[in-house]
Amino acid sequence: MSATKPQPVQYLADYRPWPFLLSQTRLDITLRPRGTTVRAELHLAPRDGVVDLELDGGKGLDLVSIGIDGRPLDPAHQRRDDERLTIAAAALPRGPFVLTTEVRIDPEDNTAFEGLYLSGGIFCTQCEAEGFRHITFYPDRPDVMTVFHVTLHSDLPVLLSNGNPVAQAPGRAEWHDPWPKPSYLFALVAGDLVAVSDRFTTRSGRDVALNVWVRPGDQGRAGFAMQSLIRSMEWDEKVYGREYDLDVFNIVAVDDFNMGAMENKGLNIFNSKLVLASPDTATDTDYERIEAVIAHEYFHNWTGNRITCRDWFQLCLKEGLTVYRDQQFTSDLRSAAVKRIEDVRTLRARQFREDQGPLAHPPRPDRYEEINNFYTATVYEKGAEIIGMLRALVGPEAYDRALTLYFDRHDGQAATIEDWLAVFQDATGRDLTQFKRWYTDAGTPVLTMEEDWADGRLTVSFTQSTPP
């Protein structure tokens, strides 16, 4: 038995911008259970001088060809290992250029359900956090945002990807996403699916086609999911002023999915249990869960997609804020008191235990070995509580001003906790230096109160400590 190779520790302090600009990504994908081909065309330019070009991707990628501006790349200028492909600076132009690669992958053999996989006859993707590197060679990091144009080839009847449909024909579909996004938000689905459809008109008059895609025979259990989506769109316009920005919004229910659901731009993929429900088999709690998760993934369209996180250390920025927004949504539609009780119970049962044990970590850690281990109650639920405290501190009106400034200032960017707090400081004039410690300190603070009654006066003293 061979020992597992330890992952190198990643440090927040080591962050550096990627040294190239990526203006456009074009993918041409021919889907097969074995031997799927992925042709990627990356429009690149050096950011500040030419250096080696490093692209994530290794095991499972069979490199067929690689070229720069239409010319094959000399093998002497490329090297590969299990983690990345490196192209020597000597082979790169000094100005803009197009890098073209073609790889073969085997979705049928992908039992990790990370990247592109085949399950029950349906091709599906899961790319958060680092799954896109299993599809093609790419700068697989959240701060590299670009426009995607995707062409899919398959004899399957339904071919979906991010953005708006450009062309549809038997065996072929083109999709264009006009909003820059990182690779972790890429998605495709191909299979024998049927849609439960509706329409939504945004407050500015945009007509949006809505589809919940399910396996044939499941249409009768998808109606509540569609109602939940429409309620989410209406609520986000009313409360946060956020309008949907594409011509179509697709949800797909699949049986085999590592995550509960995923907010891929314009193409949300869900585990079937979080979409399908009927009065014969589902409880009230099941319906509430479906409604909340559909809202959560839809709300990510602005808090996670249009504004994403600069690096994975900032994960609580998109997840904490979006959890807080879905908590508000449920509180408004149902009972705020009951929702708050449920949220506190969850905190005490899961997050408090995490904070008091060996797995305690700050909402924004400063190091990690495996990013998938940080999808935790601390990042999500404690991250949401911090947002709630911030709103209580500045007040609802100042919170609304700060959020409007956040969307205006950082739309189309990959942001940090510092960016988030700077918006609140600028919108309210408050100094949040001390408050920032909620993001950088681990543990649940213990508050101690002492009373002293003397000479007709009650003195109450508070002390706070955080156990190591």
Side-chain angles (χ1 to χ4, degrees):
M1 180 182 293
S2 60
T4 302
K5 181 181 177 181
Q7 294 289 324
V9 178
Q10 306 293 319
Y11 292 94
L12 173 60
D14 290 341
Y15 171 82
R16 300 291 183 275
W18 198 53
F20 292 85
L21 298 173
L22 178 58
S23 60
Q24 181 184 175
T25 295
R26 300 183 72 89
L27 301 175
D28 192 289
I29 303 173
T30 301
L31 294 165
R32 305 183 186 93
R34 290 181 177 273
T36 285
T37 59
V38 182
R39 186 178 185 276
E41 186 180 284
L42 310 185
H43 293 244
L44 296 159
R47 184 185 294 271
D48 186 19
V50 179
V51 297
D52 288 356
L53 173 60
E54 293 188 352
L55 301 173
D56 298 304
K59 289 182 179 178
L61 298 182
D62 178 14
L63 182 60
V64 177
S65 64
I66 181 169
I68 295 177
D69 290 337
R71 296 185 297 275
L73 179 66
D74 187 336
H77 288 140
Q78 57 180 287
R79 61 183 185 275
R80 285 187 61 185
D81 58 27
D82 288 345
E83 301 293 334
R84 62 187 52 83
L85 167 68
T86 302
I87 300 172
L92 300 176
R94 296 312 184 244
F97 63 95
V98 177
L99 174 72
T100 304
T101 61
E102 183 174 328
V103 302
R104 277 194 297 263
I105 56 177
D106 296 326
E108 191 174 61
D109 293 340
N110 182 359
T111 57
F113 297 162
E114 185 179 30
L116 174 64
Y117 63 92
L118 181 66
S119 179
I122 297 176
F123 288 93
C124 187
T125 54
Q126 171 53 33
C127 295
E128 187 177 357
E130 297 177 338
F132 194 76
R133 65 190 63 190
H134 301 298
I135 297 175
T136 189
F137 293 103
Y138 202 82
D140 192 15
R141 44 189 287 171
D143 61 337
V144 178
M145 303 174 69
T146 190
V147 172
F148 277 71
H149 189 105
V150 178
T151 303
L152 303 176
H153 306 272
S154 173
D155 58 3
L156 291 166
V158 176
L159 304 175
L160 305 172
S161 192
N162 309 92
N164 296 320
V166 175
Q168 304 281 332
R172 184 176 182 274
E174 285 187 56
W175 293 82
H176 174 66
D177 188 352
W179 301 103
K181 68 174 179 287
S183 55
Y184 83 87
L185 291 172
F186 169 80
L188 73 81
V189 174
D192 183 11
L193 299 164
V194 292
V196 173
S197 301
D198 209 323
R199 306 197 77 82
F200 180 81
T201 302
T202 68
R203 63 180 184 177
S204 68
R206 177 190 290 273
D207 186 43
V208 183
L210 308 178
N211 300 295
V212 178
W213 296 91
V214 298
R215 292 181 184 274
D218 285 334
Q219 301 96 304
R221 296 195 291 152
F224 184 76
M226 178 61 77
Q227 295 169 22
S228 299
L229 173 59
I230 292 172
R231 285 193 291 269
S232 302
M233 299 176 80
E234 291 172 341
W235 185 89
D236 211 17
E237 286 191 353
K238 177 182 176 182
V239 178
Y240 277 85
R242 297 301 102 193
E243 192 176 310
Y244 188 61
D245 51 7
L246 293 170
D247 299 332
V248 62
F249 188 90
N250 289 312
I251 290 175
V252 181
V254 296
D255 294 335
D256 299 307
F257 194 62
N258 279 347
M259 301 279 192
M262 180 61 205
E263 71 266 19
N264 317 296
K265 181 71 178 183
L267 178 58
N268 288 186
I269 301 176
F270 280 65
N271 191 294
S272 296
K273 67 181 180 181
L274 294 172
V275 172
L276 304 178
S278 68
D280 296 335
T281 59
T283 66
D284 289 351
T285 300
D286 293 332
Y287 279 107
E288 289 178 14
R289 178 66 172 157
I290 289 171
E291 182 181 68
V293 176
I294 283 180
H296 179 95
E297 304 308 333
Y298 175 75
F299 296 156
H300 266 310
N301 188 61
W302 276 91
T303 52
N305 297 3
R306 286 282 288 261
I307 305 176
T308 192
C309 45
R310 187 195 70 178
D311 50 69
W312 291 119
F313 294 99
Q314 322 293 331
L315 181 60
C316 69
L317 176 59
K318 78 179 184 79
E319 293 300 347
L321 178 54
T322 306
V323 168
Y324 182 69
R325 277 158 42 77
D326 81 54
Q327 290 172 347
Q328 288 180 295
F329 170 77
T330 300
S331 296
D332 286 353
L333 265 63
R334 299 183 180 273
S335 166
V338 170
K339 176 59 177 169
R340 185 59 185 155
I341 291 170
E342 291 174 350
D343 292 340
V344 170
R345 282 179 172 173
T346 299
L347 276 172
R348 296 179 68 175
R350 296 179 58 227
Q351 199 282 317
F352 278 26
R353 291 186 179 186
E354 190 169 87
D355 250 353
Q356 294 163 6
L359 298 180
H361 56 278
R364 185 180 71 178
D366 60 4
R367 65 177 69 87
Y368 66 79
E369 290 186 24
E370 169 55 67
I371 184 54
N372 290 307
N373 291 337
F374 271 111
Y375 286 77
T376 64
T378 294
V379 168
Y380 280 67
E381 278 72 33
K382 187 173 182 178
E385 287 299 307
I386 294 173
I387 304 295
M389 287 191 292
L390 189 55
R391 185 173 184 267
L393 183 66
V394 303
E397 292 182 359
Y399 174 84
D400 291 345
R401 291 199 309 273
L403 264 291
T404 299
L405 179 59
Y406 178 65
F407 294 128
D408 290 344
R409 180 181 291 179
H410 295 293
D411 185 14
Q413 297 180 7
T416 65
I417 293 298
E418 286 75 15
D419 294 328
W420 166 252
L421 292 177
V423 161
F424 274 82
Q425 293 187 143
D426 293 346
T428 67
R430 284 180 174 268
D431 182 355
L432 296 175
T433 303
Q434 185 73 8
F435 187 87
K436 183 183 175 183
R437 293 184 60 180
W438 281 106
Y439 284 106
T440 59
D441 291 358
T444 303
V446 176
L447 193 66
T448 303
M449 184 184 74
E450 295 181 354
E451 297 180 350
D452 180 57
W453 175 263
D455 300 327
R457 173 177 293 182
L458 176 65
T459 303
V460 182
S461 302
F462 296 92
T463 56
Q464 178 180 294
S465 63
T466 305

